[in-house]
Amino acid sequence: MIRMLHQMGLRSNMMYGAGLLSIGASIASWFVSKQYERAGMDRADRWGLFIGEWAPTCFALGIALRMEELSEEMGHETPEFHEEGAEIRQPARTGM
């Protein structure tokens, strides 16, 4: 999925920006809802939390896309787990 998003032109800095915008929109929606709606503080809190929950998803997608960009820069494809005949590397036992 991440590779497909990358091929569609989505970049990590776009997702980081979307995460920051989500935080700002969360604060703005809480403030606007608190000031201009008669529903009270509970509704303002729900609006703020609803929009604020988008930020971690955007940041996580930004990190995944950055890893895809780095693998592309290094000239490596991302590893596939279903490759036949792939060696399984054992952890090094340094210091033992």
Side-chain angles (χ1 to χ4, degrees):
M1 180 180 97
I2 299 300
R3 185 179 297 160
M4 183 181 68
L5 291 173
H6 183 69
Q7 289 171 349
M8 290 171 54
L10 194 62
R11 298 294 178 252
S12 61
N13 58 355
M14 294 174 183
M15 292 310 298
Y16 295 144
L20 290 173
L21 283 174
S22 173
I23 293 170
S26 174
I27 294 167
S29 69
W30 175 82
F31 183 76
V32 168
S33 180
K34 184 180 137 208
Q35 294 295 321
Y36 299 110
E37 288 186 338
R38 295 182 184 182
M41 185 68 111
D42 291 341
R43 186 166 178 171
D45 287 345
R46 283 192 292 269
W47 270 112
L49 289 173
F50 173 70
I51 296 174
E53 288 177 352
W54 302 344
T57 303
C58 292
F59 288 129
L61 284 172
I63 290 169
L65 285 166
R66 182 63 185 147
M67 291 171 61
E68 182 70 26
E69 292 164 5
L70 287 174
S71 69
E72 185 179 84
E73 288 173 11
M74 294 174 56
H76 302 293
E77 288 194 22
T78 53
E80 300 292 332
F81 294 105
H82 63 279
E83 292 181 13
E84 291 184 28
E87 290 183 31
I88 298 175
R89 300 177 110 187
Q90 297 295 325
R93 298 192 178 261
T94 56
M96 290 188 165

